[in-house]
Amino acid sequence: DANHWYIGAASGGAWETKDSGASWVSCTDGEVSLFMGALAIAPSDPKVIYAGTGEPGGGGGCGVGYGLLKSVDAGEHWTLLGIPEFERTAFQGILVSPSDAGTLVAATTWSSLGVA
């Protein structure tokens, strides 16, 4: 759907629009982290969305991540994956397999800096 978009804000969580950006609704308020570094939608199932927490900037003001959020219902509900493996990381990119919504590759960086 060309009118349906998602964005991730560095310190503002994931957001969704269904009207080409005329209005936006937060998808991740209330989740473990609003610091977003990467978002990906599964090509084979657009209801599956991954949101990598943590800002990849590396500076003292960047928020660290707590893991990988996964939604299977187009952002209505989220499950936190990868704790403790991804704690204090920042996601820089996520690629989901074109044929399998459960297979992905993620680029992360660990940080001792940032705001937890």
Side-chain angles (χ1 to χ4, degrees):
D1 181 351
N3 298 313
H4 191 184
W5 313 335
Y6 294 91
I7 62 164
S11 299
W15 293 77
E16 171 186 36
T17 181
K18 294 182 179 179
D19 56 14
S20 299
S23 62
W24 293 89
V25 176
S26 175
C27 297
T28 55
D29 281 355
E31 295 303 324
V32 67
S33 177
L34 292 180
F35 299 113
M36 294 294 148
L39 287 176
I41 301 169
S44 63
D45 184 354
K47 291 183 180 181
V48 177
I49 306 166
Y50 294 93
T53 65
E55 295 176 73
C62 293
V64 296
Y66 292 95
L68 180 67
L69 293 168
K70 179 182 181 182
S71 176
V72 296
D73 57 7
E76 292 292 321
H77 302 93
W78 298 88
T79 301
L80 182 63
L81 307 173
I83 291 296
E85 294 85 3
F86 293 123
E87 194 168 19
R88 298 201 61 78
T89 63
F91 281 78
Q92 296 183 5
I94 301 169
L95 295 174
V96 184
S97 167
S99 60
D100 180 2
T103 301
L104 63 131
V105 175
T108 64
T109 185
W110 184 83
S111 176
S112 61
L113 301 173
V115 179

